[in-house]
Amino acid sequence: MRRLDQLLANLGYCSRREVRDWLKAGRVTVHGQIAKDAGQKVADSDVLVDGNPLDHPAGLLLLLHKPIGLVCSHDEREGPNVYSLLPARWRARNPLVTSIGRLDKDTSGLLLLTDQSELVHRLTSPKHKVPKTYRATLDREPPGDLAGLFASGTLLLDGENAPCAPALLRMFAPREAELTLTEGKYHQVRRMFASQGCTVLTLHRARFGELELGDLAPGQWRELPLTTFAESENQVSRNT
Ligand code: URA
């Protein structure tokens, strides 16, 4: 049970102060009765706003096809962000909807967004080696046995204390690579290729764990059940 004003504010309907106006206007019912007391304790399922059930009261988990040109930071100074693609009410939620890990501004592809901070911590923790697959176009053909080097777990990038964990590289054309990582160091894919003299020209994340984009167009998202990672948690733990 939560206070009605807190519930509506946290779900992004309006500010706590504005809730009184919404109640006066008769927009909110609890158990079918027009609500009068902003401080009353309510269960999510007993509340209707403008006759509709509450908008995802248990939380949000979204799979977004991130387009190029948007950042994952909430800091407006860093430029237009992926959250601008979401409805205003979701952007106003508390806890904030945030990305699970980040993709660079110039990277497209699969990005998860959620307001479940526990999920963010769990899936970005180095303990949980969720495989993430990237497709990269390179400016040149990579040297020698790059797959062997990336798989070896010995590649130490500038400024890092620990080498990159073993990663799986497949070349499906001379300058077209697919790289699967189980960690997420800063700009890792670009830096791994750069360490061997290759510049990544385009980068796209195709998979996150078992999840794929399917036919989602850039800028579109689909909702995932909040239980999506409840089982894969066991699979991931078995691999650690
Ligand atoms: N590695 C990168 O270099 N950039 C990304 O956005 C993701 C992984």
Side-chain angles (χ1 to χ4, degrees):
M1 302 279 269
R2 282 191 267 182
R3 277 179 64 110
L4 182 58
D5 51 2
Q6 191 176 43
L7 176 65
L8 296 180
N10 287 351
L11 294 180
Y13 282 91
C14 55
S15 69
R16 262 176 95 157
R17 182 178 292 199
E18 285 163 344
V19 169
R20 292 212 186 106
D21 298 333
W22 284 44
L23 299 193
K24 272 194 205 127
R27 297 180 65 178
V28 183
T29 61
V30 177
H31 292 297
Q33 305 293 314
I34 291 186
K36 300 234 174 323
D37 176 8
Q40 79 180 108
K41 295 274 175 61
V42 294
D44 306 346
S45 56
D46 294 334
V47 181
L48 300 181
V49 177
D50 298 330
N52 299 310
L54 291 176
D55 185 358
H56 296 80
L60 279 171
L61 177 61
L62 307 170
L63 187 159
L64 170 72
H65 186 162
K66 178 194 174 295
I68 287 168
L70 299 181
V71 299
C72 294
S73 163
H74 283 94
D75 186 343
E76 302 277 324
R77 290 169 302 184
E78 294 187 30
N81 61 41
V82 292
Y83 312 104
S84 64
L85 298 167
L86 303 180
R89 187 187 295 153
W90 290 0
R91 296 203 305 268
R93 286 171 77 109
N94 177 21
L96 273 181
V97 175
T98 187
S99 64
I100 299 181
R102 288 187 174 191
L103 293 176
D104 306 335
K105 184 173 179 184
D106 295 330
T107 302
S108 60
L110 197 161
L111 183 69
L112 296 174
L113 304 177
T114 189
D115 60 353
Q116 308 285 290
S117 48
E118 179 276 329
L119 203 52
V120 176
H121 292 132
R122 181 149 61 85
L123 294 178
T124 54
S125 150
K127 264 187 10 208
H128 295 95
K129 301 179 169 45
V130 185
K132 285 153 286 220
T133 300
Y134 298 86
R135 302 229 173 100
T137 309
L138 309 175
D139 69 332
R140 68 192 66 200
E141 219 174 304
D145 182 19
L146 196 58
L149 175 65
F150 284 0
S152 69
T154 62
L155 176 65
L156 187 62
L157 298 174
D158 280 351
E160 300 288 342
N161 311 319
C164 296
L168 180 67
L169 175 69
R170 277 195 327 126
M171 298 300 301
F172 50 92
R175 295 190 299 113
E176 297 292 327
E178 191 180 82
L179 183 60
T180 301
L181 306 181
T182 54
E183 56 185 348
K185 297 184 199 293
Y186 180 68
H187 287 184
Q188 184 164 349
V189 175
R190 294 177 201 273
R191 288 165 69 211
M192 285 175 76
F193 283 109
S195 74
Q196 305 306 308
C198 295
T199 301
V200 170
L201 300 179
T202 66
L203 186 59
H204 175 84
R205 182 154 72 189
R207 290 174 69 94
F208 184 107
E210 301 291 307
L211 300 169
E212 293 184 9
L213 285 168
D215 54 9
L216 271 187
Q220 290 186 333
W221 72 85
R222 67 169 178 270
E223 291 176 31
L224 299 177
L226 291 173
T227 52
T228 299
F229 292 99
E231 277 200 2
S232 65
E233 167 70 353
N234 296 330
Q235 284 168 15
V236 170
S237 315
R238 276 204 296 277
N239 296 334
T240 57

